[in-house]
């Protein structure tokens, strides 16, 4: 009888974690001496390399990285608050843990590459395929590592961690050298990986994923023509039918589970939940509120500036002055009180219902959000909107209210509650936050089963638009960006009104940056974008993270040292050949 078995296999000195279909398997006979004998074992090892992506400090908390940009903010280590505030050090836990998580993924890929080469049970083509796939994963981990830390020590399959651990003392390769290694791995992946895979292997890297990641690597290296060639390959199906397309409904992209798939997915972390399946990500726990299944923490929330950047349906910039004159022009000393008077209602003393609307026109407030780019309501829980939460072991519709006086909003009375009691007027994420218990697919708040995209088609279209713009191909840049806007039912650039006109490279640059913010919100890309564009210091230095009323729980800091994270102090102690990053000496 066929069944799904998840194994933790000790092989070659480290742990593999993988889920796969099989008939039977003698778990008690698996050891490092009998491993690497069959293709089934190679497949198990490959799943172990993939599972490394799900670790918190690999990509398991990647959605929290938006808190380091201007599109989100948060509290505690899970939200990288110390990095946002500028108080982190080479000894901060997540600085070390991220370094370790990426190198763990690299180690798993290297072990597979080294051992497959010596397996007599595999023919040359099968060896080449598994090797190329492992090199894709190695490239992915090195890309993420170098994006944060710059040049790092490079270890490939010729290093046997088990026997050489005490002697791994390589100095840092340069960033250009690391990119060269990444490009070489991805070129091999492009050559050998298949365009499509059987449904049973969904989630493994494909040729299209290799092209997309290689194009992204070229983009980060400012090699515009090379990036264009790779992105055009999969957008325009130059040599194969890749089949990528924008998902019709934007919101559906972030609720893919129980076998649901999208043609927009190019490469994603695969997650699984439900009874006995603790193979998901902590999306519910750290993005959901106390009203979400498991009573969660909302460590990360959308920035008010992000919410305000979503346009009117005709493409005009949104301005609260259009809704409430004086909203943005009232003097700063009275701003919080002024906005509270406009936006707050009063609950009954027992908190069970709204006692008075006070001065708040709640329908008008909600319409100010609903009559905007539809990606806003798909991404964010806004005041006076509802969300299907979970309370008393049952689904319950929850409303988010801003209050002044009366009882405290709590989920037991059908109101959304902020886990951080000091934050009175934040927005909340709707994107990636599960509703109810997903029909039984969600049984543990730390294991949300939603697929989490690392590269999706809309991202590729926007990266292609950016590369075209940098290569002085403005018309082509507009064409690609407009595809993304069209899916959101937003008017295209240069489609009529003056506010949609773009006539220069500089104007298009600003449009691309704004479009990436609203399209890719909560997907973890923004901090990397700001740094590669060279604008992080301008955008983030001494920037208050404002709540809805205009009050700020803290100020975002970014100085010259923050272009790169510090090399973990313990790594420098272990290997004196590793030198600190600038500003972290």
């Amino acid at each position: 009888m066929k069944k799904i078995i998840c194994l933790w296999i000790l092989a070659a000195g480290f742990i593999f974690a993988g889920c796969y279909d099989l008939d039977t398997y003698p778990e008690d006979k698996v050891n490092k001496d009998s491993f690497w004998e069959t293709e089934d074992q190679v497949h198990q090892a490959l799943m172990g390399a993939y599972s490394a992506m799900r670790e918190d400090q690999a990509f398991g908390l990647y959605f929290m990285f938006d808190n380091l940009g201007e599109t989100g903010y948060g509290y505690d280590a899970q939200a990288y608050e110390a990095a946002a505030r500028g108080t982190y050090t080479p000894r901060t836990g997540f600085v070390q843990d991220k370094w370790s998580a990426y190198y763990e993924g690299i180690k798993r890929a290297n072990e597979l590459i080294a051992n497959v080469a010596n397996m007599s049970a595999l023919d040359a083509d099968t060896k080449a395929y598994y090797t190329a796939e492992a090199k894709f994963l190695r490239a992915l981990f090195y890309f993420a590592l170098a994006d944060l830390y710059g040049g790092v020590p490079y270890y490939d399959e010729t290093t046997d961690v088990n026997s050489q651990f005490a002697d791994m003392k390589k100095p840092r390769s340069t960033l250009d050298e690391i990119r060269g290694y990444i490009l070489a791995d991805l070129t091999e992946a492009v050559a050998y990986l298949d365009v499509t895979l059987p449904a049973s292997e969904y989630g493994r890297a494909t040729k299209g994923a290799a092209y997309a990641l290689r194009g992204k690597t070229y983009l980060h290296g400012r090699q515009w023509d090379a990036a264009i060639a790779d992105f055009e390959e999969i957008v325009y199906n130059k040599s194969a039918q890749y089949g990528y397309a924008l998902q019709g409904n934007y919101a559906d992209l972030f609720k893919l589970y129980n076998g649901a798939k999208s043609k927009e997915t190019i490469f994603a972390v695969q997650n699984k939940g439900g009874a006995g399946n603790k193979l998901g990500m902590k999306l519910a726990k750290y993005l959901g509120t106390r009203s979400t299944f498991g009573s969660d923490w909302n460590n990360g929330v959308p920035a008010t500036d992000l919410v305000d950047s979503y346009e009117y349906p005709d493409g005009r910039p949104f301005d609260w002055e259009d809704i409430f004159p004086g909203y943005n022009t009232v003097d700063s000393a009275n701003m919080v009180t002024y906005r509270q008077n406009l936006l707050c209602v009063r609950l009954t003393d027992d908190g069970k219902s709204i006692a008075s609307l006070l001065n708040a026109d709640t329908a008008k407030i909600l319409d100010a959000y609903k009559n905007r780019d539809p990606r806003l309501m798909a991404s964010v829980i806004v005041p006076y909107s509802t969300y299907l939460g979970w309370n008393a072991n049952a689904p319950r519709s929850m409303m988010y209210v801003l209050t002044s006086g009366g009882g405290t909003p709590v989920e037991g009375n059908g109101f959304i509650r902020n886990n951080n009691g000091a934050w009175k007027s934040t927005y909340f994420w709707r994107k990636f936050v599960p509703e109810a218990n997903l029909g039984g697919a969600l049984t543990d708040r730390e294991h949300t089963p939603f697929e989490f995209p690392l590269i999706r088609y809309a991202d590729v279209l926007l990266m292609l638009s950016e590369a075209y713009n940098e290569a002085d191909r403005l018309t082509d840049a507009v064409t690609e960006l407009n595809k993304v806007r069209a899916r959101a039912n937003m008017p295209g650039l240069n489609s009529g009104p003056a506010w949609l006109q773009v006539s220069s490279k500089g104007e298009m640059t600003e449009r691309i940056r704004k479009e990436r913010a609203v399209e890719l919100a909560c997907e973890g890309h923004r901090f990397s974008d700001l740094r590669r564009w060279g604008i992080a210091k301008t955008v983030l230095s001494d920037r208050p993270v404002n709540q809805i009323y205009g009050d700020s729980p803290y100020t975002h800091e970014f100085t010259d040292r923050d272009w790169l994270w510090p090399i973990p102090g313990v790594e420098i102690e272990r290997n004196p050949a590793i030198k600190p990053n600038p500003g972290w000496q």
Side-chain angles (χ1 to χ4, degrees), residues 166-187:
D167 299 316
M168 293 173 65
K169 307 289 186 182
K170 283 187 177 183
R172 298 171 65 179
S173 296
T174 67
L175 179 57
D176 284 344
E177 288 170 338
I178 294 296
R179 283 195 179 127
Y181 295 132
I182 292 169
L183 291 170
D185 278 353
L186 293 173
T187 297

Side-chain angles (χ1 to χ4, degrees), residues 230-244:
D230 277 357
F231 294 144
E232 282 184 339
E233 168 67 25
I234 56 178
V235 170
Y236 290 100
N237 299 302
K238 293 277 189 169
S239 63
Q241 291 299 313
Y242 296 93
Y244 299 123

Side-chain angles (χ1 to χ4, degrees), residues 73 304 332 335-337 339-340 422-426 544-554:
Y73 61 100
T304 300
S332 58
M335 177 178 291
V336 171
T337 300
R339 292 180 179 179
Q340 286 177 322
W423 291 4
K424 302 300 184 184
S425 64
T426 65
V545 288
N546 293 325
Q547 299 187 84
I548 296 171
Y549 302 145
D551 50 331
S552 175
Y554 64 85

Side-chain angles (χ1 to χ4, degrees), residues 86 99 113 124 196 237 320 329 390 395 398 400 446 465 475 479 493:
W99 175 283
I113 295 166
T196 59
N237 299 302
W320 278 105
T329 56
W390 187 260
M398 307 284 183
Y400 179 33
E446 296 196 357
S465 176
T475 299
T479 296
L493 303 182

Side-chain angles (χ1 to χ4, degrees), residues 303-557:
T304 300
D305 289 343
L306 169 70
V307 173
D308 289 349
S309 72
Y310 288 87
E311 300 165 349
Y312 286 113
D314 61 4
R316 284 179 298 133
F318 174 76
D319 191 339
W320 278 105
E321 288 291 315
D322 299 335
I323 313 300
F324 298 115
Y327 192 93
N328 290 327
T329 56
V330 65
D331 63 275
S332 58
N334 295 311
M335 177 178 291
V336 171
T337 300
Y338 181 82
R339 292 180 179 179
Q340 286 177 322
N341 287 337
L342 285 172
L343 302 176
C344 288
V345 299
R346 180 185 178 86
L347 296 185
T348 56
D349 289 342
D350 60 12
K352 291 186 177 181
S353 62
I354 297 174
S356 171
L357 297 180
L358 302 177
N359 297 315
D361 185 337
T362 56
K364 185 177 182 178
I365 294 166
L366 183 55
D367 282 345
Y369 297 105
K370 292 172 68 176
N371 296 328
R372 307 264 287 283
D373 181 333
R375 288 174 291 189
L376 171 55
M377 293 298 289
S379 301
V380 179
I381 296 174
V382 302
Y384 306 107
S385 67
T386 58
Y387 154 76
L388 184 61
W390 187 260
N391 178 250
N393 205 33
R396 182 166 186 172
S397 179
M398 307 284 183
M399 176 179 282
Y400 179 33
V401 295
L402 300 174
T403 63
S404 177
T408 300
V410 295
E411 56 278 7
N413 291 328
F415 295 111
I416 292 174
R417 172 162 60 112
N418 195 321
N419 182 61
N420 188 330
W423 291 4
K424 302 300 184 184
S425 64
T426 65
Y427 294 104
F428 301 107
W429 289 112
R430 191 182 297 273
K431 196 172 182 177
F432 295 122
V433 175
E435 295 185 334
N437 71 337
L438 301 179
L442 178 63
T443 58
D444 187 322
R445 66 180 185 177
E446 296 196 357
H447 295 280
T448 305
F450 294 154
E451 173 182 283
F452 183 80
L454 296 180
I455 308 175
R456 58 184 177 90
Y457 189 58
D459 184 10
V460 167
L461 292 176
L462 292 176
M463 288 192 289
L464 178 56
S465 176
E466 181 179 341
Y468 278 147
N469 189 50
E470 293 293 343
D472 298 313
R473 296 170 60 177
L474 179 60
T475 299
D476 291 331
V478 169
T479 296
E480 301 306 323
L481 185 142
N482 280 349
K483 293 176 184 177
V484 178
R485 290 177 64 83
R487 187 265 298 279
N489 294 316
M490 293 298 292
L493 303 182
N494 292 339
S495 65
W499 55 80
L500 292 172
Q501 295 306 301
V502 175
S503 59
S504 70
K505 181 177 181 177
E507 290 174 349
M508 189 62 192
T509 294
E510 292 306 310
R511 289 286 187 167
I512 292 167
R513 291 173 180 176
K514 182 176 180 180
E515 198 68 29
R516 285 186 67 82
V518 298
E519 173 67 25
L520 302 172
C522 200
E523 295 180 48
H525 303 303
R526 193 62 175 180
F527 186 54
S528 177
D529 282 347
L530 294 177
R531 289 182 297 116
R532 70 183 179 85
W533 291 330
I535 63 173
K537 186 176 179 181
T538 300
V539 172
L540 300 175
S541 180
D542 200 28
R543 184 189 186 106
V545 288
N546 293 325
Q547 299 187 84
I548 296 171
Y549 302 145
D551 50 331
S552 175
Y554 64 85
T555 299
H556 203 135
E557 298 294 347

